[in-house]
Amino acid sequence: TTIVLPGINMPPGRILLSHDGNAHDGDDLGAMPFGMALMWAAGYADRLVHIDHSNHLGDNSANQNRQMVNNAAAAAQRFGIDPAIIFDDQTQLSEMLANFAAVGNASNAADPLWVIAAGPMETIWRGINAMQPNKRQFVKVISHGKWNEVHADTRQLKHTWDDLLSDFPEVTYIQIRDQNGTYGNPPAKDAFRTARPLWHWLRDSDYEPYQWLFSIAVGAHKNIYDVSDAGMVYYLLSGGPNGGNEHGGPPETEALFEFAQPPSGNG
């Protein structure tokens, strides 16, 4: 029997998540685990081959970094992700780059590497630079926000989106709608940064991992639920360049999560 998941039509390939979260806005504290949960709910947790976080080099909030480490481990346990593929760029930068290069070098036309750019571009630039040049043609980088693309406020953050395009022209680059929606009050409903009540179905779920996802996501305003970077994961899961949904949000996620939740409702 063919199982049809709501809205899911992921193209072939594996996924690499690259987040910051250790400085400035704390949206990645929720967005990274939410992306991991989306992969699990879609049945593609095994396609996650690399997760790195805290990639804001040269400026680090020890508290936020600690939360990113803890949330990564907690999400891996809840959603069946191999903890060995998770790297803290503040303490494991060389190990992260070695794994980035390894999973990149394992790519081919039938099994490309999709890179979710959810932080400054420096570590992604270094990872692609460490790959075999003939394998870069099988890398596809997805971005949704100018802030990440141009962010370079420390001497360690030397490379931007434009540097990726000029230095590695063989890579495929995809820019989608900003998954923050609008910054108005209230924000847009068709995004992964929306009014908090639209996500109360997570809070009210009988399934503990969903309750946990609700509890860890923070926004600049108490009435905002912000996991904006996870919108890139949903875009890819829903088809990516083959008709992927750039306007996903609470309804689409709820349909997928309800489908994936074990009938027992136990965490």
Side-chain angles (χ1 to χ4, degrees), residues 165-263:
L165 269 64
S166 62
D167 295 343
F168 311 117
E170 60 272 55
V171 171
T172 298
Y173 299 98
I174 301 169
Q175 291 172 295
I176 69 171
R177 172 181 180 265
D178 190 337
Q179 296 301 293
N180 285 286
T182 66
Y183 280 95
N185 188 17
K189 295 181 179 180
D190 59 339
F192 281 78
R193 177 190 175 275
T194 56
R196 202 168 184 85
L198 295 175
W199 300 91
H200 280 177
W201 54 271
L202 284 171
R203 181 198 66 184
D204 299 336
S205 171
D206 292 333
Y207 192 45
E208 187 277 338
Y210 296 170
Q211 299 169 16
W212 178 75
L213 284 176
F214 184 82
S215 72
I216 62 170
V218 297
H221 190 280
K222 65 180 181 179
N223 292 323
I224 302 299
Y225 183 89
D226 188 355
V227 290
S228 50
D229 286 330
M232 290 184 283
V233 177
Y234 185 78
Y235 162 77
L236 181 57
L237 287 171
S238 62
N242 304 318
N245 187 358
E246 299 181 36
H247 293 266
E252 292 79 7
T253 307
E254 184 175 10
L256 178 59
F257 279 15
E258 284 186 351
F259 193 96
Q261 179 180 338

Side-chain angles (χ1 to χ4, degrees), residues 116-187:
I116 302 297
M121 300 297 141
E122 177 65 29
T123 53
I124 293 174
W125 188 97
R126 294 189 193 188
I128 295 174
N129 189 59
M131 289 175 53
Q132 298 171 12
N134 67 327
K135 291 292 187 176
R136 293 172 187 156
Q137 62 185 306
F138 307 122
V139 173
K140 304 173 189 293
V141 182
I142 300 175
S143 174
H144 80 113
K146 284 293 183 183
W147 192 93
N148 285 334
E149 292 174 3
V150 303
H151 196 69
D153 65 347
T154 72
R155 63 182 179 83
Q156 289 86 354
L157 299 176
K158 300 177 181 178
H159 299 96
T160 65
W161 181 261
D162 286 343
D163 293 313
L164 287 172
L165 269 64
S166 62
D167 295 343
F168 311 117
E170 60 272 55
V171 171
T172 298
Y173 299 98
I174 301 169
Q175 291 172 295
I176 69 171
R177 172 181 180 265
D178 190 337
Q179 296 301 293
N180 285 286
T182 66
Y183 280 95
N185 188 17

